[in-house]
Amino acid sequence: MEDHLEYVVNLLDSKKKAAPNGSPMWSARDVMTILGYRDWRSFKEVIEKARVACDNSGRFSGDHFVQLPDMVGIGSGAMREMENIVLSKYACYLVAMNGESKKLEVATAQTYFAIQTHRQESQELLSEEERRLLLRDRVKDANKKLSGAARDAGVTNSKFGIFHDAGYKGLYDGLGVRDIKKAKGIDGKDDLLDRIGRAELAANEFRITQTEQKLRNEAITGEQTAIDTHHRVGVQVRTAIKEIGGTMPEKLPPEPSIRKLAAAKVKEERNRLKTEE
């Protein structure tokens, strides 16, 4: 069962696509095959049951079950429409729950989506500090990728500090890391990203990821050009915040250091692993 679960999970993950808003979605034709159905007509009956369940749950099924025909070749270059439906994660969950549970594939998919639902519920129950820690870790990872892109663009080790400070200066109206800490009353020894809140972390993550993409997508080369690009992206993110009426990042208050929470999480994980041994 565990091997089959891994097999079905890998299939579902490999067929998963991203909707325009970034949420996961699946082709009903793909899900049909994964759940062990061969006939579209039979599988569509399962989809209709899931659609009714969706409406009965108080959600609009049209948001989760979207008709989107495929175009298939029928020879000599001619094409015809083949009925298909795009399913949201919630729709997939309902389809699995309304499938024939005697099918091993369906039972396995039910387990998969039950796990996914549990994870989402757990995420929703996270405290503000835990959400901040997750976001801080994402920013930390994004910074590593940005450093790689900067190195590829020609930024040398001696200029890495200047490169990263340029992004901050663009976002914080000319303030580098040292000046930002001073303005916020943060100890100079503290990592700035450990002392800021989610809104500020999100703005920095956007600055970082957009700079990395710009450096790579436009194949930017040259140390000073890369530095200027980072500064320009920072300015553009600042402009976007201003246009939507947000608080400028340098005006946001500092937060208690996230390091204590991170240390507690590490200790908790170590204790869990010891318990499982």
Side-chain angles (χ1 to χ4, degrees):
M1 179 67 178
E2 288 184 5
D3 289 342
H4 197 74
L5 174 60
E6 184 178 357
Y7 173 72
V8 172
V9 166
N10 288 338
L11 275 178
L12 286 166
D13 283 340
S14 69
K15 296 297 183 181
K16 180 170 60 179
K17 299 178 177 64
N21 64 358
S23 59
M25 64 179 189
W26 285 263
S27 157
R29 293 272 179 180
D30 289 339
V31 174
M32 177 182 75
T33 303
I34 294 170
L35 295 187
Y37 286 85
R38 296 183 179 180
D39 179 58
W40 172 252
R41 188 173 299 176
S42 297
F43 187 62
K44 194 176 176 185
E45 292 178 2
V46 178
I47 293 176
E48 288 307 313
K49 290 180 182 178
R51 196 195 301 271
V52 171
C54 182
D55 286 327
N56 289 340
S57 72
R59 306 192 191 191
F60 178 52
S61 61
D63 291 338
H64 298 274
F65 301 79
V66 181
Q67 293 283 345
L68 191 64
D70 291 333
M71 299 302 294
V72 296
I74 56 175
S76 303
M79 305 288 287
R80 72 173 177 84
E81 283 191 356
M82 181 175 69
E83 185 180 13
N84 199 0
I85 300 170
V86 172
L87 305 172
S88 70
K89 183 169 70 173
Y90 183 59
C92 280
Y93 167 75
L94 292 175
V95 167
M97 292 303 152
N98 282 277
E100 298 177 41
S101 56
K102 64 182 180 181
K103 287 179 176 288
L104 181 57
E105 294 88 350
V106 172
T108 306
Q110 289 174 349
T111 302
Y112 170 81
F113 285 110
I115 291 171
Q116 294 295 313
T117 302
H118 174 70
R119 284 177 179 171
Q120 183 174 346
E121 290 173 347
S122 297
Q123 185 82 358
E124 290 170 354
L125 292 173
L126 289 176
S127 68
E128 180 69 18
E129 281 190 335
E130 288 170 326
R131 290 174 188 273
R132 183 173 148 229
L133 178 58
L134 286 174
L135 186 50
R136 171 64 182 90
D137 287 343
R138 285 215 319 255
V139 174
K140 190 175 182 179
D141 182 61
N143 255 331
K144 290 178 182 177
K145 294 176 180 176
L146 175 58
S147 293
R151 187 173 291 107
D152 292 342
V155 177
T156 58
N157 290 339
S158 63
K159 292 293 181 69
F160 257 80
I162 295 174
F163 170 78
H164 285 292
D165 223 33
Y168 283 110
K169 287 182 177 179
L171 179 58
Y172 288 81
D173 198 26
L175 300 177
V177 173
R178 183 180 300 177
D179 291 329
I180 296 169
K181 289 181 183 180
K182 186 176 181 180
K184 291 178 179 287
I186 296 173
D187 191 303
K189 296 179 181 179
D190 286 348
D191 186 328
L192 175 63
L193 296 175
D194 289 337
R195 296 292 311 276
I196 59 180
R198 285 200 299 128
E200 201 169 344
L201 281 167
N204 278 284
E205 182 184 28
F206 189 58
R207 164 184 63 81
I208 293 163
T209 55
Q210 293 307 300
T211 302
E212 185 212 345
Q213 286 190 2
K214 194 170 183 66
L215 291 177
R216 295 197 184 282
N217 293 345
E218 298 181 15
I220 291 172
T221 57
E223 191 167 65
Q224 190 57 51
T225 305
I227 291 171
D228 292 342
T229 297
H230 197 183
H231 181 269
R232 187 162 57 252
V233 172
V235 171
Q236 290 170 336
V237 174
R238 181 181 181 83
T239 300
I241 294 172
K242 184 176 182 180
E243 288 178 350
I244 63 175
T247 303
M248 292 296 105
E250 67 275 11
K251 300 295 183 182
L252 291 169
E255 298 283 346
S257 177
I258 203 70
R259 285 183 178 274
K260 290 183 179 179
L261 178 59
K265 286 291 178 184
V266 170
K267 185 177 180 180
E268 180 182 324
E269 180 64 13
R270 285 176 179 170
N271 290 336
R272 184 185 67 80
L273 291 174
K274 286 181 180 179
T275 302
E276 292 179 355
E277 289 177 355

